[in-house]
Amino acid sequence: QVQLVESGGGLVQPGGSLRLSCAASGSIFSNHVMGWYRQAPGKERGLVASITPLGTTTVADSVKGRFTISRYNADNTVHLHMNNLKPEDTALYYCNAYNLISRINSWGQGTQVTVSS
């Protein structure tokens, strides 16, 4: 199982930007789809964006055009670049690693993003 540690959350004003980072303890190069999920109070956890080992991305409609996901296999990191943030983006953001071989999901502890003036 991969150990994941997120960083980069915080308080930002509407229209601002943040970059979330996720550092994996082991190699994520060829086996894992990496993703960012978020969960707001009273709501279910949902996919924000994901990226396959070959770099194919999926982005939720609610953040399309504002958020991008990237991965750097050399140092086992995944980033979520968030622009033009809105109050409805406020949530706990989780990094996820899905092992394509074992089908095991690994989760980070989450990082809080709050968008407020």
Side-chain angles (χ1 to χ4, degrees), residues 18-30:
L18 280 176
R19 187 184 81 155
L20 304 184
S21 297
C22 174
S25 62
S27 173
I28 60 172
F29 175 63
S30 62

Side-chain angles (χ1 to χ4, degrees), residues 11-12 16 24 35 63-64 67 74 76 79 86 88 96 98 101 103 105 114-115:
L11 173 64
V12 62
V63 303
K64 200 165 290 184
F67 291 12
N76 296 321
H79 304 281
K86 303 176 180 181
E88 51 264 41
N96 172 267
Y98 176 70
I101 306 301
R103 300 185 181 183
N105 259 318
T114 301
V115 185

